Amino acid sequence: MNQYETVFILTPVLSDVQMKETVAKFKKLLTDKGAEILNEEQWGLKKLAYNIQKKSSGFYCLLEFKGDPSLVEKLETGFRRDEKVIRYITVRLDKYAAAYAEKRRNKLSKKEEA
């Protein structure tokens, strides 16, 4: 199983509840297909570098997971079908990126505990 990281941007017209439901939908899609979710971060509403579909901001979300390569194709098909998602990118993490991501997760968890 490979380790992946996906970042997707949701349209800014969603309410907080709708945004969380959409993220939960994609997490469920991953777990139903046998992926192990390692980390989830919601970065909130951020300004975009350039307009996408006439929108200047969006909700950024990050999901880090382990799964089969075929799973990424199903996830990205889900992103394309959902009109709430305006951009997405999924990358496979090599051993160095995975180590960095783990250090980053540990650092964030220590901040949350304090």
Side-chain angles (χ1 to χ4, degrees):
M1 290 208 314
N2 295 329
Q3 188 167 337
Y4 295 95
E5 187 175 83
T6 186
V7 176
F8 54 99
I9 306 172
L10 300 173
T11 183
V13 297
L14 299 175
S15 70
D16 206 34
V17 173
Q18 289 173 317
M19 191 230 359
K20 289 180 180 173
E21 286 174 353
T22 305
V23 173
K25 179 179 97 172
F26 290 119
K27 283 174 59 177
K28 184 177 181 330
L29 182 117
L30 288 170
T31 53
D32 287 350
K33 301 292 183 188
E36 173 191 351
I37 296 185
L38 303 173
N39 187 27
E40 172 197 354
E41 294 176 23
Q42 295 181 4
W43 297 339
L45 187 67
K46 297 208 179 270
K47 188 172 181 339
L48 301 173
Y50 54 89
N51 286 356
I52 301 172
Q53 299 174 1
K54 299 183 180 178
K55 294 172 178 59
S56 61
S57 61
F59 288 105
Y60 281 71
C61 301
L62 173 130
L63 289 175
E64 195 177 324
F65 61 94
K66 284 186 178 180
D68 294 324
S70 63
L71 181 67
V72 174
E73 191 176 324
K74 291 180 177 79
L75 177 66
E76 290 186 348
T77 300
F79 285 148
R80 282 192 292 275
R81 288 183 179 164
D82 195 334
E83 60 191 28
K84 297 172 192 157
V85 177
I86 56 177
R87 279 287 190 277
Y88 63 89
I89 186 168
T90 304
V91 293
R92 185 178 65 83
L93 301 179
D94 62 4
K95 64 180 182 179
Y96 303 109
Y100 175 76
E102 188 175 341
K103 277 194 335 191
R104 191 169 152 269
R105 276 196 308 269
N106 292 337
K107 186 177 177 183
L108 284 174
S109 67
K110 287 179 184 174
K111 275 187 181 178
E112 289 174 1
E113 289 173 3

